[in-house]
Amino acid sequence: MKLLTKVLIAVGIASSTPFALADYPDRPITIVVPFAAGGPSDKIARDLAEALRKPLKETIVVDNTGGAGGTIGAAKVANAKPDGYTLLVHHIGMATAPALYRKLSYKVPDDFEFLGLVNEAPSTLITKPTVDAKNFAELRKYIESSGGKLNMANAGIGSASHLCGLMIQQALKADLTTVPYKGTAPAMADLMAGQVDIMCEQATNSVPQIEGGKVKVFGVTSTKRATIPALKNVPTLSESGLKDFNVQVWHGLYAPKGTPPEIIAKLNSALKVALKDPEFIKREEALGISVIKDDRNTPTGHKKFVEAEVDRWGKVIQSAGAYAD
Ligand code: ASP
């Protein structure tokens, strides 16, 4: 073949499938976690990074950009170059921030590409180890008699722990003092040390501390009991009298808007492989977490689910009159 023909063929291929896309990924991918290292979002992102590394055959680096209930990290990804090298693992805060923050620098769903929902996890209502209550009824009396003096930790406005805490306070007509952290990992350290009194936290992070006797558990926040040994005898808050109480935390994988469709397809098929990885499933299920197996693991299913959650939480937040600037 003449050199000119070879060049023309190469140019033709390059214009229909740019080399950058065909070779994707050819350098490390960063997953931004919008909370501190060591918490539930960080754990799921690191486990997922490990499971994605195999199908993508690339290194995946986790970047913890915590603060403001996950909105700082989410904004970082919304504004990142849409080239598939900066992704986001975010939880329910993706759906609550639009109603909670009057000044949010990004739009949901418009500023993101949806790559698939990853998991669903129950949360637990836990306290520092020295709280003198044997069950939820006793804890309830303790909270009601505290006159707002108890400190309730959370991961900032819009975080799962904030929402769950807000709903508990509403249900108990209690007004606790809220203490925000950059994630529930540092909040957990303070709870175990008795610096704060109470917190809602995902089983991901609370189960090891419950098992170790470092915190006390008073309820599961989903409508069904968790089946793992550490939680199977713990009643749901709904069973304990907070009728229909339901906070189920989920995580999803996102890319900035405008990421090429070829890259989205590649990331989604890698995600589907990861979600079937027996090692990944085993790690998550040991902590009471369900890995998504239905069509919410597709870009359309994920987006539809988040839109419904934006709607659902928007109404809860509006009726609570909660907001942040
Ligand atoms: N579990 C936290 C929350 O309450 C976030 C985290 O640190 O992963 O939203």
Side-chain angles (χ1 to χ4, degrees):
M1 203 188 304
K2 295 255 166 52
L3 182 64
L4 181 64
T5 321
K6 275 190 189 168
V7 170
L8 286 176
I9 290 171
V11 169
I13 292 168
S15 57
S16 60
T17 314
F19 287 123
L21 294 187
D23 295 347
Y24 173 84
D26 64 358
R27 59 186 165 87
I29 295 171
T30 297
I31 292 185
V32 174
V33 172
F35 295 102
S41 305
D42 182 59
K43 169 160 172 51
I44 183 73
R46 285 177 198 273
D47 288 351
L48 186 66
E50 180 60 26
L52 282 172
R53 196 176 51 79
K54 295 173 226 168
L56 288 172
K57 298 185 187 67
E58 250 312 333
T59 306
I60 302 183
V61 182
V62 171
D63 162 9
N64 297 91
T65 300
T71 57
I72 297 175
K76 184 172 181 177
V77 176
N79 293 314
K81 201 169 165 198
D83 57 4
Y85 290 98
T86 308
L87 308 178
L88 172 72
V89 163
H90 199 358
H91 69 0
I92 194 167
M94 191 68 156
T96 58
L100 279 167
Y101 285 83
R102 289 197 287 206
K103 291 182 201 147
L104 193 62
S105 68
Y106 55 87
K107 287 196 181 68
V108 182
D110 300 3
D111 290 343
F112 298 91
E113 301 290 352
F114 291 70
L115 302 173
L117 199 68
V118 177
N119 72 353
E120 280 175 318
S123 264
T124 50
L125 179 64
I126 52 176
T127 68
K128 64 183 180 185
T130 51
V131 163
D132 187 19
K134 283 188 274 317
N135 50 40
F136 180 72
E138 289 186 17
L139 179 71
R140 182 174 193 162
K141 277 196 198 131
Y142 177 60
I143 293 174
E144 284 166 352
S145 63
S146 74
K149 284 204 196 85
L150 293 185
N151 290 320
M152 187 164 222
N154 68 32
I157 293 188
S159 63
S161 42
H162 168 241
L163 281 169
C164 179
L166 199 69
M167 287 172 65
I168 285 174
Q169 292 181 70
Q170 259 195 327
L172 300 183
K173 298 190 180 46
D175 192 11
L176 306 184
T177 308
T178 295
V179 186
Y181 291 80
K182 282 194 173 176
T184 37
M188 181 66 88
D190 276 5
L191 188 73
M192 292 190 293
Q195 307 285 352
V196 286
D197 303 295
I198 187 163
M199 176 163 76
C200 265
E201 176 61 320
Q202 287 152 72
T204 328
N205 194 25
S206 63
V207 162
Q209 319 307 345
I210 294 166
E211 283 174 333
K214 295 192 176 125
V215 296
K216 279 187 165 180
V217 60
F218 290 93
V220 170
T221 69
S222 38
T223 46
K224 282 196 193 124
R225 284 193 188 199
T227 50
I228 52 166
L231 297 178
K232 71 174 194 294
N233 294 324
V234 179
T236 64
L237 291 179
S238 184
E239 274 177 74
S240 298
L242 305 190
K243 206 171 161 287
D244 298 329
F245 194 97
N246 184 18
V247 177
Q248 174 93 330
V249 185
W250 44 265
H251 287 87
L253 184 65
Y254 306 84
K257 186 77 188 175
T259 303
E262 294 86 342
I263 291 182
I264 293 171
K266 200 156 194 177
L267 286 169
N268 176 251
S269 59
L271 178 65
K272 282 184 178 152
V273 172
L275 298 183
K276 285 194 185 123
D277 182 330
E279 197 48 44
F280 177 70
I281 295 176
K282 201 170 129 198
R283 276 194 211 169
E284 308 316 303
E285 288 184 349
L287 292 167
I289 300 164
S290 317
V291 173
I292 301 298
K293 296 187 179 88
D294 53 52
D295 81 339
R296 290 174 300 168
N297 68 13
T298 61
T300 22
H302 180 198
K303 187 174 178 193
K304 207 168 131 206
F305 171 75
V306 173
E307 282 171 337
E309 285 284 282
V310 169
D311 202 47
R312 173 182 168 223
W313 285 107
K315 286 179 189 138
V316 173
I317 291 160
Q318 238 178 358
S319 81
Y323 62 84
D325 283 317

